[in-house]
Amino acid sequence: MKRARLIMAIAALAVVAGGGVASATRDVPDANRRYVTDDLGRALYLHGFNTASSAKGAPDALPKLTEPDIDREYRDMGTNFVRFLIQWRAVEPSPGTYDTKYLDKVAERVRWYAKRGYHVMLDMHQDLWGNGITPAGVAGNGAPGWATHTDGLPVATEHFTWEMYYLEPGVIRAFDHFWNTTGEHPELMDRYAKAWKAVAQRFKDDPAVLGYDLMNEPWGGSVQGATFETGPLATLYRKTIAEIRSVDEDNWIFLEPQAVGVNWGLPSALPYFDDPRGGPDKIAFAPHVYPLPLDLGDDYTDGSKEWTDRTLGWWRDNTLRTAERMRAPILLGEFGLDMTRPGAADLVGKLVDLSDQLGMGRAYWSRDEGSWGPYDDKGEPTALVPAYTRAYPRAVGGVPQALKYGDKSLTLTFDANETGPTEFYLPARDFPNGGKASTGQASWDPGTRVLTVKTRTYGRIDLTITPA
Ligand code: 9MR
């Protein structure tokens, strides 16, 4: 039964993907050579976590997180990136009033990451609009109560999966008011854009903050698909980009597509967004991936592995197409699954490989305790820790062209520019005594397990790192 349902769903997906299957490879760029860059201009390989779902329902909107937690994460997996969840309800508790104490607490956490060499992306998270969608606040997070208008339409509180709340009339109405599809609340999008301006004002000079993810998993309410992405969503993005750029010309802006469908592999219609900053655009495309067979309850094994790989192929092609249209680097803002399920570690490996191939950063969902995360309810490491630990170039003094892994070695091919040295994180498991570089001048820091390599500053370089 489950299998039949899966095959039907995949067939439907293929049909909706529209001609996409037959013409799948024709207009797909073979790679994306645009990268999110650091303050020096080096290309970044971002490797980290969403931190954390626990922030959603917390009264202070802060994740359950301590400095030792970050130390442990670094020691175990050598991460350099966090998609840090923030909430509109906490930024702007009443219209036009911004909570500086909340932003201070966020800034304190950013400093914890900064001390350890991390890049931070602030993610204005929402699921199901906000917890005002039901009187008892049993579901939803993100938007403040004052921006939640359900017009008394029903929102049932029993669901098979949390995503099904998105179909409830009251939730759809709350989104329709936000996007001003109803014509009754033209002020809400402006408020949202101005809330982002307040955040950018606070973090524009913070060296650890890499950028801003404008909205988690946008949902169009009664306007869906391309009409939504090129209509109200693009309007919101343009307004917000303008507000952010009025105070912050430097940080990156990350744009997500509609989540439903695109998370499975359907194409996004997001257009190119002009970046009004002086200098090259700093706008990235930040989709999520949650393969449909897994959403439907299958594991990454046998037949469903094949189907999952197929959907990942479509996801890859469509992601490359969208990034090309947007002229943007890619960041995989979320992927994740229950690590106790058969094949889970293989899927993590597969997605990390894909992110390496596409030169896209990655943030695993999520850094919460439990079976999805790196540590379970008792604090013991899950299968995610070994699966998510690998040697990688953290920052590259040039434009990466390829990254290949051999048995205990890796080779980075890049077109060097004058931005700065190239850094590799090398885990103890594969590089117990550190690493050596095939070319350039290398220095090893055993404390951070980072190998810094200075190479010539222009031309194509093949740089192979092997155990010392
Ligand atoms: O894993 C999260 C789950 O515990 C929550 O009930 C749910 C609703 O807030 O959100 C889940 O996290 C989702 C994230 O917010 C958005 N992308 C998909 C994540 C996994 O479903």
Side-chain angles (χ1 to χ4, degrees):
M1 183 62 200
K2 197 165 79 173
R3 172 85 26 203
R5 196 173 55 146
L6 171 61
I7 290 172
M8 271 163 60
I10 303 261
L13 181 63
V15 171
V16 184
V21 177
S23 63
T25 50
R26 230 187 298 136
D27 60 337
V28 183
D30 45 313
N32 186 46
R33 297 272 174 261
R34 298 182 179 92
Y35 294 87
V36 174
T37 48
D38 67 6
D39 288 342
L40 296 174
R42 294 180 298 179
L44 293 174
Y45 279 79
L46 298 165
H47 179 60
F49 282 92
N50 281 273
T51 306
S53 204
S54 58
K56 295 172 182 174
D60 62 4
L62 294 165
K64 208 173 144 226
L65 178 77
T66 62
E67 289 195 82
D69 290 337
I70 308 174
D71 284 331
R72 183 180 194 193
E73 179 183 322
Y74 188 82
R75 202 169 52 241
D76 286 354
M77 291 168 284
T79 43
N80 67 342
F81 176 58
V82 59
R83 180 173 182 257
F84 190 87
L85 276 73
I86 62 172
Q87 299 252 303
W88 186 19
R89 66 166 164 105
V91 174
E92 190 178 5
S94 60
T97 305
Y98 306 110
D99 185 345
T100 52
K101 290 210 179 69
Y102 168 65
L103 295 178
D104 288 346
K105 287 191 187 130
V106 172
E108 184 184 20
R109 274 125 195 103
V110 170
R111 272 195 304 281
W112 297 350
Y113 283 105
K115 274 201 248 170
R116 293 156 177 89
Y118 281 70
H119 298 283
V120 181
M121 178 178 75
L122 299 174
D123 153 45
M124 195 73 86
H125 208 85
Q126 69 81 31
D127 294 308
L128 312 169
W129 191 237
N131 79 350
I133 55 168
T134 66
V138 297
N141 63 85
W146 58 261
T148 305
H149 305 287
T150 59
D151 296 347
L153 292 179
V155 178
T157 54
E158 299 232 332
H159 282 293
F160 174 64
T161 62
W162 71 266
E163 290 96 328
M164 290 188 65
Y165 277 95
Y166 271 122
L167 308 178
E168 290 288 343
V171 175
I172 291 179
R173 182 61 59 87
F175 278 96
D176 284 350
H177 279 311
F178 177 68
W179 302 116
N180 200 29
T181 306
T182 58
E184 290 171 30
H185 286 282
E187 78 287 0
L188 289 178
M189 278 205 253
D190 292 327
R191 287 257 68 99
Y192 191 89
K194 288 227 160 36
W196 260 118
K197 179 184 178 183
V199 174
Q201 186 91 52
R202 182 69 179 75
F203 291 101
K204 66 190 162 91
D205 296 321
D206 192 315
V209 171
L210 182 68
Y212 314 116
D213 185 340
L214 301 195
M215 181 183 272
N216 178 66
E217 300 198 340
W219 168 248
S222 58
V223 179
Q224 292 286 320
T227 319
F228 168 55
E229 290 185 306
T230 59
L233 184 60
T235 302
L236 178 77
Y237 285 166
R238 288 193 192 99
K239 282 175 190 274
T240 310
I241 291 167
E243 292 293 348
I244 290 174
R245 286 296 182 237
S246 73
V247 293
D248 179 348
E249 290 240 303
D250 283 335
N251 279 325
W252 282 85
I253 291 174
F254 295 86
L255 304 180
E256 300 193 27
Q258 162 171 327
V260 170
V262 178
N263 284 3
W264 298 331
L266 285 179
S268 162
L270 275 189
Y272 168 76
F273 290 87
D274 180 48
D275 189 340
R277 73 185 289 271
D281 293 359
K282 288 178 101 172
I283 292 181
F285 177 49
H288 298 172
V289 65
Y290 288 100
L292 183 56
L294 279 90
D295 269 3
L296 291 172
D298 266 25
D299 293 319
Y300 190 61
T301 49
D302 309 318
S304 74
K305 179 166 189 276
E306 220 175 291
W307 283 110
T308 299
D309 287 347
R310 233 192 247 210
T311 70
L312 289 177
W314 294 329
W315 186 92
R316 174 190 180 279
D317 290 355
N318 284 322
T319 297
L320 285 171
R321 285 192 188 107
T322 308
E324 188 63 24
R325 183 185 330 114
M326 294 175 73
R327 290 176 248 156
I330 311 166
L331 174 89
L332 175 55
E334 281 188 27
F335 70 103
L337 75 167
D338 182 341
M339 293 306 301
T340 61
R341 282 166 64 172
D346 291 342
L347 183 65
V348 170
K350 168 105 187 166
L351 286 167
V352 174
D353 286 345
L354 182 64
S355 91
D356 282 341
Q357 282 161 22
L358 267 57
M360 65 181 180
R362 54 202 174 231
Y364 180 91
W365 184 270
S366 65
R367 179 69 173 87
D368 290 273
E369 274 172 11
S371 61
W372 280 50
Y375 310 107
D376 66 17
D377 297 332
K378 298 190 187 69
E380 297 300 321
T382 66
L384 181 60
V385 172
Y388 206 41
T389 303
R390 63 166 67 180
Y392 70 100
R394 304 194 329 165
V396 179
V399 182
Q401 302 297 322
L403 177 61
K404 295 213 169 80
Y405 288 85
D407 184 33
K408 313 247 145 142
S409 73
L410 71 163
T411 299
L412 172 73
T413 302
F414 63 107
D415 289 340
N417 55 26
E418 297 191 328
T419 49
T422 297
E423 295 172 9
F424 295 87
Y425 167 76
L426 304 175
R429 182 189 62 200
D430 306 325
F431 296 83
N433 307 308
K436 46 184 204 257
S438 60
T439 177
Q441 260 187 316
S443 60
W444 171 243
D445 178 350
T448 58
R449 307 203 61 83
V450 170
L451 184 76
T452 302
V453 187
K454 290 186 182 153
T455 55
R456 56 192 165 76
T457 50
Y458 65 93
R460 173 118 349 153
I461 295 176
D462 289 313
L463 177 53
T464 299
I465 307 297
T466 46

